[in-house]
Amino acid sequence: MADTIAAISTGNAPGGIGVIRISGDAAIETAAKVFAPADESQLTELKGYRAKYGNIIIDGERADNAVALVFRAPRSYTGENVVELSVHGGLLMVQKTVAAVLSAGARPAQAGEFTKRAFLNGKIDLSEAEAVIDIISAKSRSAARAALCVKEGAVRNKIDEVKNLLLSTAAH
Protein backbone atom coordinates (compact mmCIF):
# COMPACT_ATOMS: atom_id res chain seq x y z
CA MET A 1 0.00 0.00 0.00
CA ALA A 2 1.41 3.36 -0.94
CA ASP A 3 -0.45 5.42 1.63
CA THR A 4 0.24 5.54 5.34
CA ILE A 5 -2.61 5.10 7.81
CA ALA A 6 -2.91 5.81 11.53
CA ALA A 7 -5.44 5.21 14.29
CA ILE A 8 -5.79 4.94 18.02
CA SER A 9 -5.38 1.25 18.85
CA THR A 10 -6.44 1.40 22.48
CA GLY A 11 -9.95 2.10 23.72
CA ASN A 12 -11.42 5.57 23.63
CA ALA A 13 -11.29 5.95 27.40
CA PRO A 14 -8.72 7.29 29.85
CA GLY A 15 -6.02 4.81 30.82
CA GLY A 16 -2.37 4.61 31.76
CA ILE A 17 -1.22 4.16 28.16
CA GLY A 18 -2.71 5.07 24.81
CA VAL A 19 -1.36 3.51 21.62
CA ILE A 20 -1.40 5.05 18.16
CA ARG A 21 -0.61 2.60 15.33
CA ILE A 22 0.86 3.83 12.04
CA SER A 23 1.24 1.52 9.01
CA GLY A 24 2.40 1.99 5.43
CA ASP A 25 5.38 2.78 3.27
CA ALA A 26 6.17 6.02 5.14
CA ALA A 27 5.12 4.91 8.65
CA ILE A 28 8.57 5.30 10.17
CA GLU A 29 9.23 8.64 8.49
CA THR A 30 5.79 9.88 9.54
CA ALA A 31 6.35 8.85 13.16
CA ALA A 32 9.78 10.50 13.11
CA LYS A 33 8.08 13.86 12.45
CA VAL A 34 6.29 13.67 15.82
CA PHE A 35 8.61 11.49 17.93
CA ALA A 36 12.11 12.50 19.07
CA PRO A 37 14.20 9.76 20.73
CA ALA A 38 15.67 10.87 24.07
CA ASP A 39 19.14 9.72 23.01
CA GLU A 40 18.97 12.05 19.98
CA SER A 41 19.26 9.12 17.53
CA GLN A 42 17.03 8.91 14.45
CA LEU A 43 13.89 6.80 14.55
CA THR A 44 14.38 6.09 10.84
CA GLU A 45 17.65 4.28 11.67
CA LEU A 46 16.08 1.98 14.27
CA LYS A 47 16.02 -1.70 13.34
CA GLY A 48 12.78 -3.65 13.46
CA TYR A 49 11.44 -5.09 16.70
CA ARG A 50 13.09 -2.32 18.68
CA ALA A 51 11.76 0.35 21.01
CA LYS A 52 12.93 3.88 21.76
CA TYR A 53 12.03 6.13 24.64
CA GLY A 54 11.57 9.79 23.79
CA ASN A 55 9.11 12.63 23.40
CA ILE A 56 6.10 13.50 21.31
CA ILE A 57 6.69 16.84 19.59
CA ILE A 58 3.60 18.86 18.66
CA ASP A 59 3.95 22.30 17.07
CA GLY A 60 7.66 22.29 17.85
CA GLU A 61 7.17 21.69 21.57
CA ARG A 62 7.60 18.63 23.75
CA ALA A 63 4.06 17.45 24.54
CA ASP A 64 4.54 14.08 26.27
CA ASN A 65 6.97 11.27 27.02
CA ALA A 66 6.46 8.25 24.79
CA VAL A 67 7.81 4.94 23.57
CA ALA A 68 8.04 4.17 19.86
CA LEU A 69 8.03 0.55 18.71
CA VAL A 70 9.26 -0.05 15.16
CA PHE A 71 8.32 -3.08 13.07
CA ARG A 72 9.85 -3.21 9.60
CA ALA A 73 8.18 -4.77 6.58
CA PRO A 74 7.49 -7.55 5.94
CA ARG A 75 7.82 -8.68 9.58
CA SER A 76 4.88 -6.80 11.06
CA TYR A 77 1.19 -7.45 11.60
CA THR A 78 0.23 -5.72 8.35
CA GLY A 79 3.31 -6.78 6.39
CA GLU A 80 4.20 -3.10 6.03
CA ASN A 81 6.39 -0.77 8.06
CA VAL A 82 4.56 -0.18 11.36
CA VAL A 83 5.23 2.15 14.28
CA GLU A 84 3.28 2.08 17.51
CA LEU A 85 3.53 5.19 19.67
CA SER A 86 2.68 4.62 23.34
CA VAL A 87 1.81 7.86 25.11
CA HIS A 88 0.16 8.66 28.44
CA GLY A 89 -3.43 7.52 28.14
CA GLY A 90 -5.36 10.67 28.86
CA LEU A 91 -7.84 11.22 26.04
CA LEU A 92 -6.47 14.68 25.22
CA MET A 93 -2.87 13.48 24.75
CA VAL A 94 -3.88 10.46 22.66
CA GLN A 95 -6.09 12.60 20.43
CA LYS A 96 -3.44 15.33 20.08
CA THR A 97 -0.82 12.72 19.17
CA VAL A 98 -2.97 11.06 16.50
CA ALA A 99 -3.83 14.51 15.11
CA ALA A 100 -0.10 15.30 14.90
CA VAL A 101 0.53 11.98 13.10
CA LEU A 102 -2.24 12.80 10.63
CA SER A 103 -0.76 16.28 10.09
CA ALA A 104 2.61 14.62 9.47
CA GLY A 105 1.23 12.77 6.45
CA ALA A 106 -0.82 9.78 7.53
CA ARG A 107 -4.52 9.45 6.82
CA PRO A 108 -7.10 8.09 9.28
CA ALA A 109 -7.41 4.31 9.09
CA GLN A 110 -10.83 2.91 8.35
CA ALA A 111 -12.33 0.39 10.78
CA GLY A 112 -10.55 -2.93 10.27
CA GLU A 113 -8.04 -1.51 7.80
CA PHE A 114 -4.93 -2.78 9.62
CA THR A 115 -6.34 -6.31 9.50
CA LYS A 116 -7.44 -5.82 5.86
CA ARG A 117 -3.85 -4.89 4.99
CA ALA A 118 -2.56 -7.95 6.86
CA PHE A 119 -4.91 -10.10 4.74
CA LEU A 120 -4.03 -8.35 1.45
CA ASN A 121 -0.31 -8.72 2.21
CA GLY A 122 -0.66 -12.45 2.90
CA LYS A 123 0.06 -12.22 6.61
CA ILE A 124 -3.26 -13.84 7.58
CA ASP A 125 -5.95 -15.73 5.70
CA LEU A 126 -9.63 -14.79 5.49
CA SER A 127 -10.72 -16.94 8.43
CA GLU A 128 -7.98 -15.40 10.60
CA ALA A 129 -9.00 -11.89 9.52
CA GLU A 130 -12.60 -12.61 10.44
CA ALA A 131 -11.47 -14.03 13.79
CA VAL A 132 -9.89 -10.70 14.76
CA ILE A 133 -13.31 -9.02 14.99
CA ASP A 134 -14.60 -12.07 16.89
CA ILE A 135 -11.79 -11.67 19.45
CA ILE A 136 -12.50 -7.96 19.80
CA SER A 137 -16.25 -8.48 20.24
CA ALA A 138 -16.12 -11.64 22.40
CA LYS A 139 -18.49 -11.48 25.38
CA SER A 140 -17.29 -14.63 27.15
CA ARG A 141 -14.08 -16.50 27.84
CA SER A 142 -15.15 -19.43 25.65
CA ALA A 143 -16.02 -17.13 22.73
CA ALA A 144 -12.63 -15.43 23.03
CA ARG A 145 -10.87 -18.80 23.21
CA ALA A 146 -12.72 -20.11 20.12
CA ALA A 147 -11.92 -16.95 18.16
CA LEU A 148 -8.25 -17.16 19.17
CA CYS A 149 -8.09 -20.78 17.91
CA VAL A 150 -9.42 -19.63 14.54
CA LYS A 151 -7.02 -16.66 14.53
CA GLU A 152 -4.11 -19.01 15.19
CA GLY A 153 -5.01 -21.09 12.12
CA ALA A 154 -7.26 -23.90 13.38
CA VAL A 155 -9.60 -23.60 10.37
CA ARG A 156 -6.73 -23.25 7.88
CA ASN A 157 -4.98 -26.30 9.37
CA LYS A 158 -8.14 -28.40 9.09
CA ILE A 159 -8.68 -27.30 5.48
CA ASP A 160 -5.05 -28.13 4.65
CA GLU A 161 -5.49 -31.56 6.25
CA VAL A 162 -8.59 -32.33 4.16
CA LYS A 163 -6.96 -30.92 1.00
CA ASN A 164 -3.90 -33.14 1.47
CA LEU A 165 -6.10 -36.18 2.05
CA LEU A 166 -8.07 -35.43 -1.14
CA LEU A 167 -4.87 -34.89 -3.15
CA SER A 168 -3.42 -38.14 -1.85
CA THR A 169 -6.62 -40.01 -2.68
CA ALA A 170 -6.76 -38.48 -6.17
CA ALA A 171 -3.09 -39.40 -6.76
CA HIS A 172 -3.77 -43.06 -5.94
Side-chain angles (χ1 to χ4, degrees):
M1 301 279 162
D3 60 341
T4 298
I5 59 172
I8 300 168
S9 291
T10 47
N12 195 20
I17 302 272
V19 177
I20 294 91
R21 181 178 286 169
I22 309 163
S23 183
D25 292 346
I28 299 167
E29 293 80 3
T30 301
K33 292 176 184 176
V34 300
F35 177 82
D39 64 4
E40 299 182 12
S41 63
Q42 297 297 314
L43 192 63
T44 54
E45 301 301 317
L46 192 63
K47 294 181 180 182
Y49 290 94
R50 300 288 191 274
K52 279 284 183 184
Y53 173 77
N55 296 294
I56 297 297
I57 308 298
I58 299 175
D59 297 327
E61 295 184 11
R62 189 168 59 96
D64 193 12
N65 305 122
V67 174
L69 295 159
V70 173
F71 305 90
R72 293 198 176 261
R75 296 179 50 182
S76 71
Y77 177 71
T78 61
E80 303 169 335
N81 286 334
V82 171
V83 177
E84 291 185 351
L85 297 173
S86 298
V87 299
H88 288 103
L91 292 176
L92 177 67
M93 189 47 54
V94 174
Q95 291 168 350
K96 284 180 129 335
T97 302
V98 79
V101 169
L102 298 177
S103 292
R107 70 164 175 79
Q110 298 171 0
E113 190 169 3
F114 292 101
T115 299
K116 177 182 177 183
R117 287 179 178 217
F119 170 71
L120 292 174
N121 289 323
K123 301 299 285 185
I124 58 176
D125 66 27
L126 187 57
S127 64
E128 292 166 324
E130 291 173 342
V132 171
I133 192 65
D134 293 338
I135 292 169
I136 292 168
S137 62
K139 300 276 192 260
S140 69
R141 185 174 175 200
S142 60
R145 193 173 30 242
L148 183 60
C149 284
V150 174
K151 169 68 179 81
E152 291 178 340
V155 172
R156 181 191 61 239
N157 292 340
K158 195 65 172 168
I159 290 170
D160 287 347
E161 195 178 297
V162 171
K163 180 183 83 174
N164 290 335
L165 179 61
L166 289 171
L167 285 172
S168 177
T169 302
H172 290 308

